[in-house]
Amino acid sequence: MFFYFQAPRADGQGRRHLWRYVGAGTRDVVENRFEIARLIACPPEEPRYVGQQDVFVLQDKAIDHVLPAEREAEARAAAPTTVGPIQQTVTETVKECIRRRTVDRDKAKTCLSFLGQPMGKALHARLGALYEGWGAKKDDKELVEAIHTMSEQFGKEKSSRGPTRRLTREDLELICYEYLSC
């Protein structure tokens, strides 16, 4: 049986769309949308089937799967992210620049915040080139200015909103359900 729920986003902006497929015989729950789309796809002329399953039992099973999965996703999002080795190296260098008082402290703090965010290979390569350039000249101000510019271009703003609201059973709005017969 297929269930489609909507719920408010944790930050209050918009709605989430939650799909679940519950196997009537096994009670296994599938949450992968591509797999569910494959399971529920049928031609328009295919007749509808109304099964003998207890919809409410299967709906409870789907909800009991959604809530812990959402809590786990919240925990993963709140967990500290790992940073690449070049980020760690440059972070320590910027901290040393602050200790030496050779750079603007506020800009350096912005750089440290930026360096603590996850980055892709392209930004790692740019950081590596900046660090190599700094190694040749030892110009602290130039290094911090360049990282500050990168943070303005590529930095992710921290959410200034208050704590997010946890998803509850009452938040889930059942949009539709469908029996599937294979």
Side-chain angles (χ1 to χ4, degrees):
M1 182 158 241
F2 164 70
F3 293 94
Y4 167 38
F5 300 100
Q6 283 187 358
R9 292 191 181 279
D11 62 4
Q13 304 293 316
R15 304 203 40 89
R16 288 186 276 191
H17 305 275
L18 306 158
W19 290 16
R20 293 300 186 271
Y21 167 80
V22 181
T26 63
R27 300 286 200 260
D28 289 338
V29 180
V30 175
E31 65 181 291
N32 182 305
R33 283 189 185 200
F34 294 111
E35 193 173 335
I36 293 172
R38 185 184 57 76
L39 288 168
I40 65 175
C42 62
E45 66 276 358
E46 186 167 325
R48 295 289 176 217
Y49 168 76
V50 178
Q52 298 300 315
Q53 299 298 324
D54 187 345
V55 175
F56 299 110
V57 169
L58 296 176
Q59 179 181 343
D60 283 342
K61 179 73 174 170
I63 291 171
D64 290 343
H65 187 271
V66 166
L67 296 175
E70 289 299 310
R71 285 189 199 102
E72 185 179 320
E74 290 169 6
R76 277 195 310 269
T81 56
T82 58
V83 296
I86 188 65
Q87 287 174 260
Q88 293 171 351
T89 302
V90 174
T91 296
E92 290 306 313
T93 303
V94 172
K95 286 178 182 177
E96 282 298 317
C97 294
I98 293 172
R99 287 185 201 109
R100 287 193 295 268
R101 297 183 179 166
T102 57
V103 296
D104 178 274
R105 184 176 179 83
D106 290 331
K107 279 189 179 181
K109 288 168 93 176
T110 301
C111 294
L112 292 175
S113 177
F114 171 66
L115 291 166
Q117 297 175 1
M119 296 181 190
K121 290 180 182 179
L123 288 179
H124 283 167
R126 287 180 77 172
L127 277 177
L130 282 175
Y131 186 71
E132 284 181 26
W134 173 84
K137 296 181 192 175
K138 300 287 188 198
D139 187 345
D140 294 347
K141 286 183 184 178
E142 185 179 309
L143 175 69
V144 169
E145 285 296 328
I147 296 169
H148 190 264
T149 301
M150 285 177 64
S151 76
E152 289 174 338
Q153 292 174 338
F154 304 106
K156 297 174 183 79
E157 289 187 32
K158 301 277 186 194
S159 175
S160 58
R161 303 180 205 282
T164 57
R165 197 164 91 44
R166 177 168 272 181
L167 184 67
T168 65
R169 181 179 278 274
E170 291 75 29
D171 294 327
L172 294 174
E173 178 185 354
L174 180 64
I175 303 301
C176 73
Y177 66 91
E178 185 70 46
Y179 286 97
L180 305 176
S181 62
C182 299

